[in-house]
C-alpha cells in the first residue's frame, strides 16, 4: 500500500482530486468507481472547482457508484444518487448515460445486483476505484461478519452504519433503511487501482488495522492488503497510529 499523509483533510482532498484529474488526462474514457460518505465531499468540491477552471474533463468518463440504500428511489433526499448529484454530477460534464448506479427501488433486488455486476464487466471493469472506510472497517457496504460476498449483493446494514448514515435521513438512525445494495469485495478488488480517503481521528484505529492488521472478514478493508495498487490519502489524524 502506498500511504500518503497530508497536514489537513483539505490538502488530502486536493491531492485526491489532482490524482483523479491526472488519471482522466491519461485515459479520458476512464471508468471511475465512486463512494459516498463525508470523507470524499472535499475532494468532490475540489473536482467541481477544477472543472470550473477547465482543469478536469469528465466528457468521456464513466462512473459506477459503490452502493445504494434498498427501497429508496433515485430522487429520495437520502439516496446516494441524490448525494452524488448534489456533490458532483450536476456540476461537471458527465452525461447521465455515463453515470451508473444501483437502483435501490428495483422490484427484484437480486436481479438488480446481477445487472450491475454485468454492467461493470461490460464497461471493461473499473480503472480507478475511490473508497472511504466505514467506522467499523467496511468498504462500500461490505459489513464486517463471518463471511464476505464477492459480487454485488444485498446487505443487512449494521446499527453503527445506520447511525453513521442518519444525517441523510433527517438525523434519525431508525429512518435509515435496514438493507442496501453494494458492490462485493471481488468487484472492488478487481479495480486496476484503488484510492482510499480517510480523515479524522475517528478513522485512525481502522486505518491502522487495515494497513497492519491480519486479513479478516471482521475488517473488510484489510483485504485491500491483497491488491497490487492501493493508495491511501490520509490526514495526520487518520494516520496517527501508523507511526
Ligand atoms: C457509507 C458508505 C461507504 C463510506 C462510509 C464512510 O457507509 N457506504 O462507502 O466509505 O459511509 O463514511 P464517512 O466518510 O462519512 O465516514
Amino acid at each position: 500500500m502506498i500511504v500518503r499523509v497530508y497536514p489537513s483533510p483539505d490538502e488530502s482532498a486536493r491531492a485526491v482530486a489532482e490524482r483523479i484529474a491526472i488519471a482522466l488526462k491519461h485515459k479520458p474514457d476512464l471508468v471511475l468507481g465512486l463512494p459516498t460518505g463525508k470523507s470524499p465531499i472535499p475532494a468532490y468540491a475540489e473536482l467541481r472547482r477544477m472543472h470550473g477552471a477547465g482543469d478536469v474533463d469528465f466528457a468521456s468518463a464513466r462512473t459506477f457508484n459503490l452502493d445504494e440504500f434498498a427501497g429508496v428511489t433515485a430522487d429520495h433526499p437520502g439516496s446516494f444518487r441524490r448525494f452524488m448529484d448534489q456533490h458532483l454530477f450536476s456540476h461537471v460534464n458527465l452525461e447521465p448515460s455515463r453515470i451508473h448506479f444501483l437502483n435501490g427501488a428495483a422490484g427484484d433486488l437480486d436481479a438488480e445486483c446481477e445487472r450491475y455486476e454485468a454492467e461493470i464487466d461490460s464497461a471493461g471493469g473499473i480503472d480507478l476505484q475511490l473508497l472511504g472506510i466505514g467506522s467499523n472497517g467496511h468498504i462500500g457496504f461490505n459489513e464486517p461478519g463471518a463471511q464476505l460476498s464477492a459480487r454485488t449483493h444485498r446487505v443487512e446494514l449494521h446499527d453503527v452504519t445506520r447511525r453513521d448514515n442518519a444525517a441523510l435521513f433527517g438525523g434519525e438512525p431508525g429512518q435509515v433503511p435496514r438493507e442496501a445494495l453494494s458492490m462485493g469485495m471481488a468487484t472492488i478488488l478487481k479495480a486496476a487501482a484503488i484510492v482510499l480517503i480517510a480523515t479524522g481521528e475517528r478513522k485512525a484505529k481502522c486505518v491502522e488495522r487495515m494497513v497492519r492488521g491480519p486479513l479478516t472478514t471482521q475488517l473488510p478493508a484489510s483485504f485491500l492488503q491483497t491488491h497490487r495498487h492501493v493508495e491511501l490519502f490520509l490526514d495526520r489524524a487518520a494516520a496517527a497510529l501508523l507511526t
Side-chain angles (χ1 to χ4, degrees):
M1 284 184 178
I2 302 165
V3 182
R4 307 187 198 283
V5 184
Y6 298 87
S8 68
D10 280 349
E11 280 160 278
S12 152
R14 274 198 290 278
V16 168
E18 187 63 28
R19 172 73 178 80
I20 294 167
I22 290 170
L24 281 164
K25 267 190 195 119
H26 271 278
K27 190 172 191 290
D29 61 347
L30 195 74
V31 180
L32 254 178
L34 296 174
T36 54
K38 287 185 271 305
S39 315
I41 291 177
Y44 291 153
E46 180 62 10
L47 283 171
R48 297 197 305 264
R49 192 200 61 75
M50 290 173 81
H51 180 259
D55 293 335
V56 65
D57 181 10
F58 290 92
S60 306
R62 272 169 298 176
T63 67
F64 284 87
N65 262 79
L66 280 165
D67 43 20
E68 181 59 284
F69 294 107
V72 156
T73 54
D75 60 356
H76 185 285
S79 74
F80 282 162
R81 175 57 208 244
R82 186 78 169 261
F83 173 101
M84 290 304 303
D85 282 342
Q86 190 188 337
H87 290 286
L88 187 68
F89 296 158
S90 58
H91 307 275
V92 298
N93 60 336
L94 251 178
E95 285 291 317
S97 64
R98 297 183 163 272
I99 296 170
H100 301 270
F101 236 93
L102 279 154
N103 175 10
D108 180 341
L109 292 176
D110 293 314
E112 173 60 9
C113 291
E114 278 174 38
R115 179 198 67 79
Y116 201 61
E117 191 78 29
E119 205 164 50
I120 295 171
D121 282 345
S122 67
I126 288 167
D127 294 312
L128 181 60
Q129 176 68 57
L130 249 62
L131 293 176
I133 180 170
S135 61
N136 61 0
H138 73 218
I139 49 175
F141 268 143
N142 292 279
E143 296 278 42
Q147 53 190 27
L148 299 171
S149 298
R151 293 164 63 84
T152 303
H153 61 292
R154 297 164 71 157
V155 190
E156 187 144 335
L157 297 177
H158 289 192
D159 287 344
V160 63
T161 301
R162 293 177 73 215
R163 275 201 301 278
D164 286 350
N165 282 280
L168 294 169
F169 293 86
E172 285 293 329
Q175 296 298 313
V176 179
R178 293 182 183 279
E179 209 187 344
L181 310 182
S182 176
M183 284 189 198
M185 292 301 294
T187 325
I188 293 170
L189 291 168
K190 270 189 296 191
I194 295 177
V195 161
L196 183 141
I197 312 165
T199 53
E201 189 187 0
R202 211 167 65 93
K203 299 291 170 71
K205 187 73 201 145
C206 274
V207 166
E208 191 217 7
R209 289 176 67 204
M210 164 174 69
V211 175
R212 295 235 186 91
L215 289 192
T216 169
T217 58
Q218 299 301 335
L219 192 94
S222 64
F223 282 84
L224 296 177
Q225 291 175 30
T226 67
H227 193 277
R228 66 183 184 286
H229 190 111
V230 176
E231 296 167 55
L232 307 183
F233 286 72
L234 311 174
D235 70 344
R236 280 199 190 121
L241 301 176
L242 292 179
T243 48

